[in-house]
Amino acid sequence: MTINPNKCVACGNCTYVCPMGAIYIDPQIKRATINRNECVECYACYNGLSQEHLNPTMVRTMRKVFQALRLRFDPEPDVCPTASFEPDELTWPRVVRRAFSDPRVPHESTGVEGRGTEEVKTNDVSGRVKVGEVGFTIEFGRPGVGVWFRDIQTACRMLAAADVHFEKKNPITSLMSDVATGTLREDILGEKVMSAIVEIKVPVERTEEIIRLVWDIEKRVDTVVTLGVGTRCDDTGDETVVAPILEKLGYTLHRAKTNTGLGRIMNSAESDRQTVGASR
Ligand code: SF4
Ligand code: SF4
């Protein structure tokens, strides 16, 4: 994303809408400027502000006149008065920033909009997490924090060393040059995104080990980590295997949502009717 300095009138409205704090008013040129290193190409500035097409010279003059009279002339807070934002033609590898940061852009590898896959939400149909297994969604980054791919690689390598199964349809897995070692493509390591989700699954007996490993990973990456745990209900619709492990580890559980699905079951032999998700 670029701000056209010939159009910008330095009203400052856009500095409040950037979830990464990447826009600032440069006092030297008196224009809003984007820190390209921190910008994750989420398009919140371009799409979140109404773009008006006022004449920049006229707006600057009015602002100066009003200032001299000790008054203010400010546009409405949700408006860029001079339509100064100009999206760049994104090329590889920078384009991955947008794929993981703009929730309205479907990811090429999954067709799902946003950073991850459908996770366990469609488990009734996809049967990704089978009886006796537990699926983890490990999310790195958040608005305001973001995450570098080099940190995601650190995490993926630690997970790979623990011999976990990476979800094939997950966008991060598709960016690995070597899934066995959790190594990502070299050319994306210097890219930053709003957040990204790594999906793995392991036998249910390894639940505590993997959670403790994620706690360890959290200490080694320069971002925040959110852990989601998905597992299968028993025939009565309860879950009594993973829940006690999570409670022992200090998580407070609430039956927040149960996903049931309509569709052709792809794992009919082992299908359960329900899947539960728990997260912190
Ligand atoms: S909202 Fe538009 S005119 Fe105002 S500071 Fe941002 S880019 Fe410049
Ligand atoms: S594209 Fe997103 S991260 Fe980049 S400047 Fe705009 S709002 Fe900020």
Side-chain angles (χ1 to χ4, degrees):
M1 187 63 67
T2 299
I3 294 172
N4 185 336
N6 297 322
K7 290 186 174 178
C8 176
V9 297
C11 70
N13 280 354
C14 52
T15 60
Y16 301 105
V17 303
C18 174
M20 296 302 296
I23 308 178
Y24 61 99
I25 303 293
D26 185 334
Q28 307 246 295
I29 59 171
K30 295 194 173 62
R31 300 285 185 271
T33 307
I34 294 174
N35 178 340
R36 276 187 61 81
N37 216 23
E38 292 300 318
C39 170
V40 293
E41 307 291 356
C42 70
Y43 278 44
C45 49
Y46 181 71
N47 292 322
L49 291 171
S50 298
Q51 307 286 319
E52 287 185 351
H53 293 266
L54 300 180
N55 182 300
T57 309
M58 180 196 80
V59 176
R60 282 189 204 114
T61 307
M62 284 176 71
R63 282 168 66 81
K64 274 188 194 144
V65 170
F66 273 67
Q67 206 173 9
L69 297 170
R70 304 184 74 80
L71 296 169
R72 291 172 66 116
F73 174 69
D74 285 330
E76 292 297 308
D78 57 347
V79 163
C80 174
T82 50
S84 303
F85 285 91
E86 296 177 358
D88 295 323
E89 188 81 25
L90 295 177
T91 55
W92 186 266
R94 192 167 175 94
V95 71
V96 295
R97 294 189 182 225
R98 187 160 187 228
F100 282 86
S101 306
D102 184 342
R104 292 171 309 173
V105 176
H107 199 283
E108 274 178 24
S109 65
T110 60
V112 176
E113 294 175 357
R115 311 142 296 152
T117 65
E118 294 162 347
E119 304 159 15
V120 292
K121 297 184 192 81
T122 55
N123 204 61
D124 270 356
V125 177
S126 69
R128 274 186 198 171
V129 179
K130 298 184 170 43
V131 173
E133 293 179 335
V134 59
F136 291 93
T137 54
I138 309 164
E139 181 173 7
F140 298 91
R142 278 276 160 196
V145 185
V147 59
W148 293 92
F149 274 106
R150 55 176 177 260
D151 276 328
I152 297 174
Q153 175 170 267
T154 299
C156 289
R157 283 182 163 170
M158 290 172 73
L159 290 165
D163 199 22
V164 304
H165 173 88
F166 289 102
E167 165 57 45
K168 272 197 203 120
K169 290 184 180 164
N170 176 279
I172 294 292
T173 311
S174 74
L175 290 169
M176 289 180 185
S177 55
D178 183 6
V179 178
T181 60
T183 302
L184 299 185
R185 291 177 58 140
E186 179 83 27
D187 53 1
I188 61 164
L189 297 181
E191 298 300 332
K192 186 173 192 177
V193 297
M194 188 99 76
S195 66
I197 298 173
V198 174
E199 287 171 83
I200 59 168
K201 68 175 183 177
V202 292
V204 76
E205 304 78 52
R206 298 188 64 194
T207 303
E208 180 171 348
E209 173 204 340
I210 296 301
I211 291 174
R212 290 189 182 281
L213 176 60
V214 173
W215 290 353
D216 194 14
I217 288 170
E218 193 176 19
K219 295 187 194 107
R220 295 173 194 229
V221 293
D222 186 21
T223 187
V224 292
V225 181
T226 309
L227 181 63
V229 183
T231 189
R232 305 289 289 249
C233 295
D234 61 24
D235 285 346
T236 63
D238 288 326
E239 203 294 303
T240 54
V241 180
V242 174
I245 301 171
L246 297 177
E247 281 172 338
K248 180 187 140 199
L249 292 172
Y251 292 90
T252 305
L253 297 182
H254 301 282
R255 186 78 176 245
K257 71 180 176 187
T258 299
N259 297 310
T260 57
L262 296 175
R264 187 185 298 277
I265 296 173
M266 293 183 226
N267 67 327
S268 54
E270 291 177 305
S271 91
D272 279 352
R273 284 178 295 283
Q274 294 176 311
T275 302
V276 292
S279 61
R280 179 172 77 159

